[in-house]
Amino acid sequence: MYSVLQPNQPVPLSDANLILPMAGDKVRAGFPSPAEDFAVNRVDLTQELVTHPQATFLLRVSGDSMRDAGIFDGDTLVVDKAVKPRHGHIVVAVVDGEFTVKQLYQRAGRVKLRAANPTFPDITPKEGQTIQVWGVVTSCIKRFPV
């Protein structure tokens, strides 16, 4: 069982931009700092997350094979088909007609897809089997319960 992405078809990004206010440059994850005046800038999330708009898609993750890479069930992946996949990239691949998200391993002429969860096996192509890298994951969007 592998992390299969849903829905069946990727969702392309539209030409519309999503611009939201940014309060300050950073927020501490350790001890709080004294409050400062917060200048509110506007940040275009499309510009922040998308390099190649015509080749970028959003996919929702189903499963937990990539949890140790910080990718969890229900997260939304930003996938860029224009980025050339390299060893170590997290990629969306098509294996036996199904989408899956894994880390690409390419060494000494060997290719496999590695899970980021020790309970899931690597995907190594068998005789006659093809693994097609569909795109490179460039960002992961998370939603927290509110």
Side-chain angles (χ1 to χ4, degrees):
M1 231 194 273
Y2 303 111
S3 293
V4 179
L5 302 174
Q6 295 178 344
N8 293 334
Q9 295 297 317
V11 178
L13 292 176
S14 69
D15 292 334
N17 293 341
L18 179 58
I19 301 172
L20 299 173
M22 168 88 75
D25 291 335
K26 301 176 191 173
V27 61
R28 291 182 181 261
F31 295 104
S33 63
E36 298 176 16
D37 292 336
F38 290 103
V40 176
N41 297 320
R42 304 217 42 99
V43 175
D44 181 343
L45 290 181
T46 305
Q47 185 176 355
E48 287 289 318
L49 300 176
V50 178
T51 304
H52 305 104
Q54 299 302 320
T56 301
F57 294 80
L58 299 176
L59 293 168
R60 190 165 317 275
V61 176
S62 174
D64 63 351
S65 75
M66 294 302 289
R67 71 169 191 212
D68 293 349
I71 298 173
F72 297 94
D73 186 65
D75 286 352
T76 300
L77 302 177
V78 179
V79 182
D80 192 331
K81 292 184 68 160
V83 175
K84 182 179 179 183
R86 294 189 327 257
H87 174 77
H89 278 164
I90 295 175
V91 299
V92 171
V94 180
V95 180
D96 297 330
E98 299 280 335
F99 283 110
T100 188
V101 58
K102 299 286 182 282
Q103 185 177 36
L104 181 63
Y105 176 92
Q106 290 179 303
R107 287 290 183 249
R110 293 181 34 203
V111 174
K112 60 183 165 181
L113 299 173
R114 288 185 159 169
N117 178 336
T119 62
F120 288 81
D122 293 342
I123 300 173
T124 305
K126 298 173 182 74
E127 185 73 31
Q129 185 181 35
T130 303
I131 292 177
Q132 177 189 5
V133 175
W134 190 80
V136 175
V137 175
T138 58
S139 299
C140 179
I141 303 168
K142 300 180 172 304
R143 295 217 38 170
F144 298 104
V146 290

